[in-house]
Amino acid sequence: MTSESGSEGDPFKDPSVADVQAPQLGDIPVGATLPVGRSASLTLGTDSLIVLDEDFGESKSAANCCGLLPNKNKTTRSIPFYNILWAELSESEITIRYARTVSKETVRVAYINYTMEKTDRAFVDAWIERLLDRAYGASQRQKRMKLLVNPFGGQGSAQKLYVRDIEPILAAARCEIDVERTKYSGHAVEIARDLDTDAFDVIACCSGDGVPHEVFNGLAKKKDAARALTKLAVVNLPCGSGNAMSWNLNGTGSPSLAALAVVKGLRTPLDLISITQGDRRTLSFLSQAVGIVAESDLGTENLRWLGSVRFTYGFLVRLLGKTVYPADIAVKLEVDDKVAIRNAYKAESERPPPTHDSRPIPSPTDGLPALKYGTATDPLPADWQLVPHDNLGNFYAGNMAYMSPDANFFSAALPSDGCMDLVRIAGDIPRKAAVQSLLAVESGAFYSMPLVHYAKVSAYRIVPKNQAHGYVSIDGERIPFEPFQAEVHRGLGTVLSRTGHMYEAEGPRL
Ligand SMILES: Nc1ncnc2c1ncn2[C@@H]1O[C@H](COP(=O)(O)OP(=O)(O)OP(=O)(O)O)[C@@H](O)[C@H]1O
């Protein structure tokens, strides 16, 4: 466990800082330069910190400059504000920590450090504050994180990825981290259920999508469920085999880049979906599948040795066999027109990013919202109609866009539009068209295919029929093959994203 919050015992914090009347932030404009050392300066550029160091080529002493790539020909470099993790002044030393790009997929913590000969403390403090202001914008600094590591995630590599790629970034950004390893399946439900809602800002899952699913459901069990789901942002630091949540919100499957995205992430309301089956109610944050997707994923466990090809293989076998999964389906339809859906997506993407999370914080006595449409065992709501889908091939409802790095399946999905994106495809379409639809997912043409029925719905019920057994997948987890009902709760949950209102995905193409 790393605990770095507060000023007590903080080796970096100069106790005298608080006593100094710092200049106003407005006194430090873009372009403000901080002279450091004899021939070096730090300047606040438009999008980056500009480091000018005339001695850099000759003097590479650790005291003068660390962490910058040595380059004798250049004395000026820039560090994007996005990559700046922290800055501080202690005694007469200024240290700036940042995430240095070492490859397309990796950032590592680096720092620059200068001893300042003359220190106008008040000015330096204000300059640092301005730098952090540019580096974090509306993102909360020094987030307090409950961090769960699934030691079995990603075939056992999660712990190693956490130590090597994630923890150094969070620590350099001076996040407060409370680490716990999950000990058994379902442990994350209990940890989230018993967590003090006010003690943390973020629950970070070093895992795949299974642990965040458990965390949402653990928070749902709290007495103050609505408050906990609003206050605590759930994030995925990708260490599992399926990391869709990170691809959608952090835009990456790289643990170190995701850690940086989380450090800089903006609070984002997320729709959550109640799934009722019998008398059970669970929350889904990612997807629900019946038919070919569920079976290709959950019904191919015997082919684990095939690795990631397992899913595609299972899918193709069923596609070519023209397998159908008959069911009766009733939906609470919101939009059933691809042009209108695409236009709504475009309008949201062009909206200026929100400056803050405007939702009110629910009271400590607010549990989960009541179900508007009852459960799967209640009479069907009057304005819904159970429509037979005797030749159903694929029933797939998504709350996020990417289901895997190459599969932007629900390209019109938005985090909190109050809708699930529902895709239905017949199972008895010509084989060629079926294979084309599979290939179209990767190329981005899937949405526009006429055989893909794409709608925005706020609730539905599905009753599988004429099958002795089958598969239902909720966020990739198997639930009994029985009728179930789904209902969206708009913006009930909270995640962190780069924009505060969109997924990191290309929108629908027509
Ligand atoms: N210590 C543990 N022992 C066994 N199962 C665990 C443990 N900790 C978590 N789990 C279970 O592991 C499941 C998979 O978790 P996770 O989200 O990390 O990865 P995944 O990508 O879904 O799968 P994979 O394990 O293949 O990487 C979760 O549903 C959770 O219940």
Side-chain angles (χ1 to χ4, degrees):
M1 171 168 161
T2 312
S3 188
E4 300 187 339
S5 76
S7 56
E8 237 180 333
D10 181 341
F12 296 103
K13 179 112 182 182
D14 184 332
S16 67
V17 169
D19 304 327
V20 176
Q21 188 67 43
Q24 295 296 303
L25 267 192
D27 298 342
I28 314 288
V30 173
T33 292
L34 187 68
V36 285
R38 238 179 332 117
S39 51
S41 67
L42 305 173
T43 301
L44 299 173
T46 318
D47 302 311
S48 59
L49 172 70
I50 297 154
V51 184
L52 173 71
D53 187 343
E54 282 163 15
D55 286 345
F56 185 64
E58 298 139 38
S59 160
K60 284 172 279 176
S61 82
N64 240 4
C65 189
C66 300
L68 289 174
L69 277 176
N71 180 341
K72 291 189 179 184
N73 302 323
K74 272 192 166 183
T75 56
T76 304
R77 22 217 112 213
S78 67
I79 304 168
F81 287 136
Y82 179 77
N83 290 44
I84 302 279
L85 298 168
W86 201 248
E88 61 215 355
L89 177 68
S90 79
E91 297 297 326
S92 57
E93 273 193 356
I94 184 166
T95 305
I96 296 171
R97 292 166 207 277
Y98 66 102
R100 180 158 61 91
T101 303
V102 295
S103 77
K104 218 171 130 210
E105 287 299 308
T106 314
V107 288
R108 292 275 179 259
V109 173
Y111 65 95
I112 52 177
N113 171 260
Y114 288 97
T115 303
M116 303 177 69
E117 284 162 10
K118 277 197 288 175
T119 317
D120 174 354
R121 258 216 107 85
F123 178 76
V124 179
D125 284 341
W127 187 92
I128 286 175
E129 182 53 31
R130 174 57 90 198
L131 172 63
L132 290 174
D133 180 48
R134 302 304 308 275
Y136 279 85
S139 174
Q140 185 192 348
R141 301 179 199 170
Q142 297 183 273
K143 297 177 178 79
R144 301 168 302 162
M145 296 191 184
K146 179 74 186 180
L147 198 141
L148 306 180
V149 181
N150 173 4
F152 293 95
Q155 286 152 352
S157 57
Q159 172 66 20
K160 192 178 105 199
L161 294 173
Y162 169 64
V163 170
R164 188 190 66 191
D165 293 359
I166 296 169
E167 199 268 349
I169 301 219
L170 302 181
R174 299 174 67 66
C175 291
E176 188 180 320
I177 315 165
D178 178 353
V179 187
E180 188 164 348
R181 276 152 202 90
T182 52
K183 296 196 177 72
Y184 43 87
S185 177
H187 191 193
V189 177
E190 295 166 17
I191 295 171
R193 181 197 62 202
D194 299 337
L195 208 65
D196 176 354
T197 304
D198 296 313
F200 299 96
D201 307 304
V202 173
I203 307 179
C205 309
C206 296
S207 65
D209 297 314
V211 173
H213 172 84
E214 290 191 359
V215 167
F216 281 122
N217 279 286
L219 295 177
K221 289 184 190 302
K222 292 176 84 66
K223 275 206 184 73
D224 64 341
R227 185 164 169 273
L229 286 161
T230 305
K231 285 197 78 180
L232 294 162
V234 180
V235 306
N236 175 222
L237 293 164
C239 296
S241 34
N243 305 301
M245 187 178 186
S246 181
W247 282 100
N248 283 290
L249 292 159
N250 305 323
T252 180
S254 146
S256 61
L257 287 173
L260 177 59
V262 163
V263 163
K264 294 301 173 78
L266 299 169
R267 283 174 57 79
T268 307
L270 179 74
D271 295 340
L272 293 175
I273 295 116
S274 273
I275 306 293
T276 58
Q277 194 180 47
D279 56 4
R280 295 176 302 278
R281 178 180 180 184
T282 47
L283 287 183
S284 162
F285 76 97
L286 181 63
S287 65
Q288 305 103 45
V290 183
I292 191 163
V293 169
E295 198 177 32
S296 308
D297 184 12
L298 301 171
T300 55
E301 287 293 321
N302 56 326
L303 299 175
R304 271 206 165 261
W305 55 272
L306 269 179
S308 57
V309 180
R310 173 173 71 103
F311 180 85
T312 316
Y313 173 80
F315 205 89
L316 271 174
V317 167
R318 283 157 187 85
L319 212 62
L320 297 174
K322 294 194 176 187
T323 317
V324 293
Y325 304 87
D328 291 336
I329 301 169
V331 298
K332 173 80 182 138
L333 199 59
E334 299 300 331
V335 195
D336 193 15
D337 172 79
K338 285 186 185 175
V339 177
I341 293 173
R342 201 264 321 251
N343 290 345
Y345 182 94
K346 211 160 160 272
E348 181 64 29
S349 67
E350 285 165 2
R351 201 166 62 86
T355 51
H356 63 286
D357 179 358
S358 58
R359 292 169 302 170
I361 302 287
S363 94
T365 53
D366 286 340
L368 273 191
L371 292 167
K372 267 196 255 174
Y373 305 111
T375 73
T377 52
D378 287 322
L380 207 62
D383 57 340
W384 299 17
Q385 204 193 347
L386 264 186
V387 177
H389 283 62
D390 292 336
N391 61 347
L392 182 71
N394 190 3
F395 177 96
Y396 204 4
N399 193 40
M400 294 188 174
Y402 285 98
M403 294 295 115
S404 66
D406 299 326
N408 182 358
F409 213 97
F410 302 100
S411 49
L414 290 164
S416 61
D417 62 355
C419 290
M420 293 168 272
D421 289 29
L422 178 59
V423 164
R424 276 168 287 176
I425 305 177
D428 54 0
I429 53 173
R431 290 191 178 88
K432 192 169 163 214
V435 172
Q436 275 168 349
S437 76
L438 179 62
L439 297 174
V441 174
E442 194 165 340
S443 76
F446 182 73
Y447 181 80
S448 62
M449 294 187 85
L451 61 84
V452 174
H453 185 254
Y454 198 109
K456 291 266 179 188
V457 304
S458 56
Y460 67 81
R461 181 180 299 182
I462 178 164
V463 182
K465 59 183 188 183
N466 307 335
Q467 297 155 84
H469 57 82
Y471 295 88
V472 178
S473 159
I474 306 295
D475 298 349
E477 308 289 317
R478 189 174 183 184
I479 65 165
F481 187 63
E482 289 167 18
F484 68 93
Q485 185 157 305
E487 168 178 332
V488 176
H489 308 290
R490 189 172 196 160
L492 174 65
T494 307
V495 288
L496 298 178
S497 73
R498 292 161 74 116
T499 63
H501 68 132
M502 300 292 294
Y503 292 124
E504 292 293 309
E506 222 182 287
R509 280 197 264 141
L510 280 177

